[in-house]
Amino acid sequence: MLPTVVKLAGCPLDGGPFLIHMRTPHLRQWLAKRSQHSITAEAGANTAPATVPNAATNRILGRWLLGCSGLVVGAVVLGGVTRLTESGLSMVDWHLVREMKPPQTRAEWEAEFAKYRQFPEFKIMNHDMTLPEFKFIFYMEWGHRMWGRLVGLAYVLPTIYFWKKGYFNRSMKGRALGLCGFVFFQGLLGWYMVKSGLEEKPESYDVPRVSQYRLSAHLGSALLLYCASLWTGLTLMVEPHKLANTKRLNQLRRFAKGTVGLVFLTALSGAFVAGLDAGLVYNSFPLMGDRWIPDDLLAFSPTLKNFFENPTTVQFDHRVLAISSLTAITGLYMFSRRMMLPRRAKIAISCLTAMAYAQVALGISTLLLYVPTPLAATHQSGSVALLSLAIWVLAELRKVAK
């Protein structure tokens, strides 16, 4: 039997020390297997598989949506401050691109101020306003609009990128398109709201303000966009707990869902309070004046009109909803304490309960101090924080997808 000669990589064949005489079959088998593994590895390196949705891409999408939801919160807070400083009607027209550059020269500022002077807010409220004062309210509204455009870009551009990279499964494609469409709808709804405050109303001597219906729709749609983004982001990033599907756990889930709905409704009722300046009609608590139920609660006719246009009724409803939300969250906390829940779920419920009491304290303080702007803005931000924690609780209690 002749010896088998193998050339080691990078070594000359004629060197005596580098010749290997393989007389054992085990060594030949080992070299044959190693050669096959090398060929397979080279083939895999040359043909890398296409990107498909997986745990890593889901985490990337989750971070993106959490970032987008943070930008939406910024828009909500900035919008509230814009309203509280009575700046929302300073820009009397809407252009998607042209208004991105504010006035630069004095002549441009004078032209913009001249347009504002043609509308009811200046004629009735701000007839002695100076140009520097107008610049302040203009920049407040301009900043809010630019932030809205930033939110739109944060949704649309990554959606295009992730779609091309193959990060979306079929379900996520529909969600991403829905979120992008909702952003555009939100922008149009914002201008529709502003227009209601620019209309001449000869029969009314009231302070010019936007329609409380359109304000509530604008805030409500922003909150829906925020909730959808936050929920989707959390479910992509946070692994669900494998909880035993017991009767008590299902009751807790239903309880939590109802609580989220109540918190959302309370936040939405706050938009009617803001739109009608209802926080300024009864600045006492817990009584409204010297009564539990004020005399003018149902002063308007028909009765249904009071719930949306009577400042007294709107404030009363907001009080009732706020106390109801606090009671529901307290009940949720107490019910959850008697159950074996994962540590993260217990933390979420505890944070929700603490925030609920802080939010009620903020609301009462805002009322008693006649709605100072910093405190009112903090109270509005607190409503978003409370809603965020409620959604976190739902994410921790959700069922494992089959």
Side-chain angles (χ1 to χ4, degrees), residues 317-357:
D317 291 344
H318 190 61
R319 291 184 182 213
V320 171
L321 286 169
I323 299 302
S324 300
S325 296
L326 182 65
T327 305
I329 291 171
T330 304
L332 181 71
Y333 174 82
M334 295 176 67
F335 187 73
S336 69
R337 292 299 97 179
R338 295 180 291 174
M339 300 176 61
M340 292 295 294
L341 293 175
R343 181 173 177 272
R344 211 168 57 205
K346 288 184 177 181
I347 292 174
I349 294 173
S350 298
C351 290
L352 174 65
T353 306
M355 187 64 222
Y357 281 89

Side-chain angles (χ1 to χ4, degrees), residues 293-304 306-307 310 312-313:
I293 300 177
D295 292 334
D296 56 341
L297 186 66
L298 299 175
F300 291 8
S301 183
T303 303
L304 184 62
N306 289 278
F307 294 94
N310 184 342
T312 299
T313 312

